[in-house]
Amino acid sequence: MSVTTSIKKTAQNVEKVLTGEKPQVDLLDTLKEEHELVSALLNKLVDSDSASERKSLLKQIKAALVPHVRAEESVLYDAIIAVKDKGTQQDGEEGYIEHSLADRTLKNLEKIKSATSPEFSAAAKVLKELVEHHVKEEESNVWSDAREHFSSDERKLMNQKYLVEKKKVRVA
Ligand SMILES: [Fe+2]
Ligand SMILES: [Fe+2]
């Protein structure tokens, strides 16, 4: 058994002791569920014409999106960027850039006073399009990288880490 395999086995055994069972959920399944939730909220935001509903949806989007991207960066993207393959590293870097564009668009939206103004509608549409594009590429490119470079057991461990990291993120 190589050192890496033995470290992985030890990590899995520790996990087993802590949780009483082997971790079951693949990180990619958790991410998929969250993508669907955010996408539904963004569709509602763009379709709504009520200022109060839009403000409330924006808060829900921020609360779902910000912990998702931060934990995704530390658990998935950093692992992808650490893989010794330029194409894989580039997928990770591209994801980081798109996350920061989404952060900025979210901040801009929060600054707009009238949630029914054309300015707000435009920024909401841009955020929706940005997230849709990002999710599409993430689910094809980054997830293929994750499936290629990390085993199913590793992705289950990454899911446990992801859930812990997400709880640490403070949404201002
Ligand atoms: Fe994601
Ligand atoms: Fe992402």
Side-chain angles (χ1 to χ4, degrees):
M1 197 188 288
S2 74
V3 176
T4 327
T5 316
S6 115
I7 290 170
K8 277 178 202 159
K9 283 258 179 291
T10 310
Q12 279 165 18
N13 289 338
V14 169
E15 194 69 47
K16 213 170 169 179
V17 171
L18 291 177
T19 61
E21 55 185 81
K22 270 184 91 178
Q24 292 302 324
V25 181
D26 187 320
L27 171 66
L28 306 184
D29 293 333
T30 303
L31 299 179
K32 179 77 191 169
E33 259 180 44
E34 296 183 1
H35 287 168
E36 281 167 3
L37 170 76
V38 170
S39 156
L41 290 170
L42 282 165
N43 281 327
K44 277 194 193 169
L45 179 71
V46 168
D47 291 342
S48 166
D49 36 37
S50 145
S52 60
E53 190 184 35
R54 280 186 159 192
K55 289 277 183 195
S56 145
L57 285 164
L58 184 58
K59 272 193 191 143
Q60 293 173 56
I61 289 164
K62 192 179 177 187
L65 198 60
V66 173
H68 174 94
V69 296
R70 293 290 90 79
E72 197 171 67
E73 285 166 358
S74 64
V75 176
L76 181 60
Y77 281 78
D78 288 355
I80 291 284
I81 290 168
V83 167
K84 284 187 175 52
D85 172 78
K86 278 194 175 168
T88 304
Q89 291 168 345
Q90 188 180 330
D91 290 338
E93 298 293 353
E94 188 178 338
Y96 256 103
I97 294 169
E98 289 173 356
H99 282 181
S100 87
L101 290 173
D103 286 338
R104 275 168 52 191
T105 312
L106 202 55
K107 278 201 185 103
N108 284 342
L109 262 172
E110 286 183 309
K111 280 188 211 145
I112 303 166
K113 289 220 169 69
S114 166
T116 48
S117 64
E119 201 188 352
F120 188 101
S121 301
K125 187 167 167 255
V126 168
L127 182 65
K128 178 181 171 277
E129 288 169 354
L130 239 166
V131 171
E132 273 172 2
H133 163 86
H134 171 69
V135 164
K136 200 173 161 221
E137 286 204 341
E138 187 169 271
E139 290 187 359
S140 56
N141 304 345
V142 176
W143 291 10
S144 315
D145 296 334
R147 287 193 184 98
E148 186 187 336
H149 296 285
F150 303 100
S151 68
S152 159
D153 278 349
E154 284 171 324
R155 297 196 308 269
K156 286 172 184 169
L157 285 172
M158 286 162 103
N159 185 62
Q160 305 275 358
K161 251 175 88 182
Y162 174 81
L163 297 174
V164 171
E165 288 304 310
K166 227 177 76 165
K167 281 202 188 115
K168 291 188 199 161
V169 179
R170 291 282 156 262
V171 182

